[in-house]
Amino acid sequence: MQQKIRLLAREYLPEVTAARRHLHQHPELSWQEKETAAFIRKFLAPLNIELRITGDLLATVAIIRGVKPGPTVGLRADIDALPIAEKSELPYRSQNIGCMHACGHDGHTAVLLGATKILAELRHELHGNIICVFQPAEEHNGGGKALLASNLLHGFDIGAFFALHTWPYLPVGTIGIKRGTMMSAIDDFEVVIHGKAGHAAHPLAAIDPVLIAAHVITAVQSLVTRERHGAEPAVISVTMIHGGTADNVIPAEVRLGGTIRTLQTETRERMNRRFTELIEGVAQSFGGSAEVKLAPGYPALVNDDRMVDFVESIAKEIVGSSKVVELKEPSMGGEDFAYYLQKYSGAMFRLGVGPAPSLHSDTFNFNDEALETGMMMMTNLALKFLD
Ligand SMILES: [Zn+2]
Ligand SMILES: [Zn+2]
């Protein structure tokens, strides 16, 4: 069987590589993946497998039913791109100006298209069902959550879900695994600091929100060192600051934006509560006021350790023990596959594509040399889970 899968993976590799490059050239933002969804459906159509789609969600779910009864396993790929202007000379660089596959989702989609094709070819030998999910909007506003709330997976008792993510910090040909918490919870914030506008030369008659903002930005970093357990990571990044119109005018307000990342529920709740209290307090102490809006984002991604053991055993077979890397630290990035793992058993793992520029940078490009390993991993995870 292993031999047969390897042969099929090699046979389909040129087509899968072409698909990856097509996707790279035609990236679409979260919730706008119309052409991408059409491309995926067109690729899958000749396989003669059941496709479940919804018009508005832009998700595609491919179902491979084995001829014999057995368990059901899910594989998931994300399909969206980012609002980044690509800087590259690649012949297949983005044609959608200002939009770019900078997180490797073009690779994830191509890998799962290839794996679906291999699994469809093997359906007569399957005991159970394999569900391949092509999910929109991972980067923005949780397509995963919407997908799980839809009826696309209705009627299946899914025993486990697996997903991979591109990792430029591991060499191509390696697989990274992480037990327990692998990625952080996200809470984005928007803060408006209200002061009182006035002449820059007469600050006594004004309340300066720019000065308050400076204190706020410094003060919130104290939460990271003083308001969490030393062993529990937390990150607060203020990434946007907007205010003012002229060099001689104190503005009426300043807006800040950014993100809070935590791994544990308790730390998350405390950070969010203290963040709001601290900013309101600082603003008041200077005579101003603050509105703090927190938008709860993705939960932390927590792998099921038994499923990580399973991923590890398969990775060792495919790439060899020396190329399976146990990652020591969780990433403070977020990932909406976390929602799947709140509902189902399963695991996410890292697919090495390095050396490569960092994720979300304007020169990132998924390494096509990793496609075969990705296909082998996804196909074997599904088949061995059914065994
Ligand atoms: Zn990303
Ligand atoms: Zn990503």
Side-chain angles (χ1 to χ4, degrees):
M1 188 72 139
Q2 194 62 261
Q3 190 70 9
K4 195 167 170 184
I5 297 169
R6 185 66 81 176
L7 286 173
L8 287 171
R10 297 230 163 114
E11 186 187 331
Y12 300 156
L13 192 57
E15 190 188 352
V16 170
T17 306
R20 207 286 294 178
R21 293 177 180 199
H22 175 90
L23 291 165
H24 191 87
Q25 197 166 16
H26 304 280
E28 291 172 300
L29 295 176
S30 308
W31 299 112
Q32 298 174 21
E33 306 95 330
K34 264 188 144 154
E35 302 284 319
T36 307
F39 178 80
I40 290 165
R41 292 163 192 176
K42 201 173 152 204
F43 186 103
L44 297 172
L47 305 184
N48 281 321
I49 51 175
E50 182 183 340
L51 294 187
R52 286 186 185 178
I53 58 174
T54 54
D56 50 343
L57 187 58
L58 300 169
T60 305
V61 174
I63 297 159
I64 302 156
R65 291 181 195 271
V67 285
K68 295 159 216 159
T72 299
V73 62
L75 304 173
R76 173 276 207 171
D78 40 12
I79 68 172
D80 57 329
L82 286 155
I84 296 173
E86 181 168 14
K87 278 204 187 110
S88 109
E89 294 305 316
L90 292 169
Y92 55 87
R93 66 183 168 271
S94 170
Q95 287 186 354
N96 185 359
I97 304 303
C99 182
M100 174 188 177
H101 270 295
C103 201
H105 299 188
D106 48 348
H108 307 170
T109 304
V111 161
L112 191 57
L113 286 171
T116 307
K117 188 164 175 166
I118 297 170
L119 291 163
E121 181 73 31
L122 301 172
R123 82 190 93 174
H124 302 295
E125 299 169 45
L126 297 184
H127 303 253
N129 309 308
I130 300 167
I131 300 191
C132 301
V133 174
F134 297 86
Q135 177 216 299
E138 189 287 319
E139 296 286 0
H140 188 65
N141 271 348
K145 191 180 186 183
L147 190 133
L148 294 173
S150 76
N151 57 7
L152 283 168
L153 304 179
H154 193 77
F156 288 105
D157 181 15
I158 300 170
F161 246 106
F162 297 99
L164 59 77
H165 202 291
T166 301
W167 208 229
Y169 321 107
L170 283 177
V172 69
T174 58
I175 296 291
I177 53 163
K178 172 77 183 68
R179 289 182 169 76
T181 305
M182 179 172 174
M183 298 189 73
S184 83
I186 304 180
D187 295 292
D188 292 336
F189 57 80
E190 208 184 295
V191 176
V192 187
I193 294 164
H194 298 284
K196 190 176 156 207
H199 198 297
H202 308 295
L204 188 61
I207 296 168
D208 184 0
V210 175
L211 180 67
I212 300 173
H215 281 274
V216 161
I217 292 165
T218 312
V220 295
Q221 290 307 328
S222 308
L223 296 175
V224 177
T225 65
R226 301 292 91 168
E227 296 274 351
R228 66 175 171 94
H229 189 280
E232 287 176 17
V235 170
I236 298 178
S237 290
V238 178
T239 56
M240 289 181 282
I241 171 164
H242 301 291
T245 52
D247 55 10
N248 57 358
V249 177
I250 292 173
E253 63 175 45
V254 168
R255 290 170 178 268
L256 306 176
T259 189
I260 301 176
R261 305 295 171 100
T262 50
L263 298 180
Q264 317 281 343
T265 307
E266 202 187 286
T267 312
R268 182 182 192 184
E269 285 168 359
R270 192 167 59 253
M271 279 290 153
N272 288 358
R273 179 169 50 78
R274 294 292 293 135
F275 183 81
T276 305
E277 288 170 1
L278 184 73
I279 294 174
E280 286 173 353
V282 169
Q284 271 165 27
S285 72
F286 283 92
S289 64
E291 287 168 64
V292 180
K293 268 190 223 146
L294 280 161
Y298 305 162
L301 185 149
V302 185
N303 282 326
D304 178 333
D305 286 354
R306 288 170 312 139
M307 291 301 157
V308 179
D309 293 343
F310 176 63
V311 171
E312 183 180 25
S313 67
I314 287 172
K316 282 180 173 172
E317 274 179 44
I318 290 168
V319 296
S321 298
S322 64
K323 291 190 174 161
V324 180
V325 181
E326 175 134 29
L327 301 165
K328 296 207 168 46
E329 308 290 340
S331 157
M332 297 309 279
E335 163 65 57
D336 80 348
F337 188 62
Y339 291 113
Y340 294 74
L341 297 183
Q342 284 186 330
K343 191 166 177 184
Y344 304 105
S345 177
M348 172 171 260
F349 62 94
R350 300 293 190 187
L351 180 68
V353 298
S358 72
L359 294 174
H360 291 206
S361 74
D362 56 9
T363 50
F364 182 79
N365 183 29
F366 181 88
N367 187 340
D368 288 331
E369 279 175 55
L371 287 170
E372 187 179 327
T373 305
M375 281 192 279
M376 290 299 291
M377 282 297 297
M378 290 307 238
T379 309
N380 276 279
L381 282 168
L383 289 175
K384 300 228 160 106
F385 185 85
L386 297 190
D387 273 353

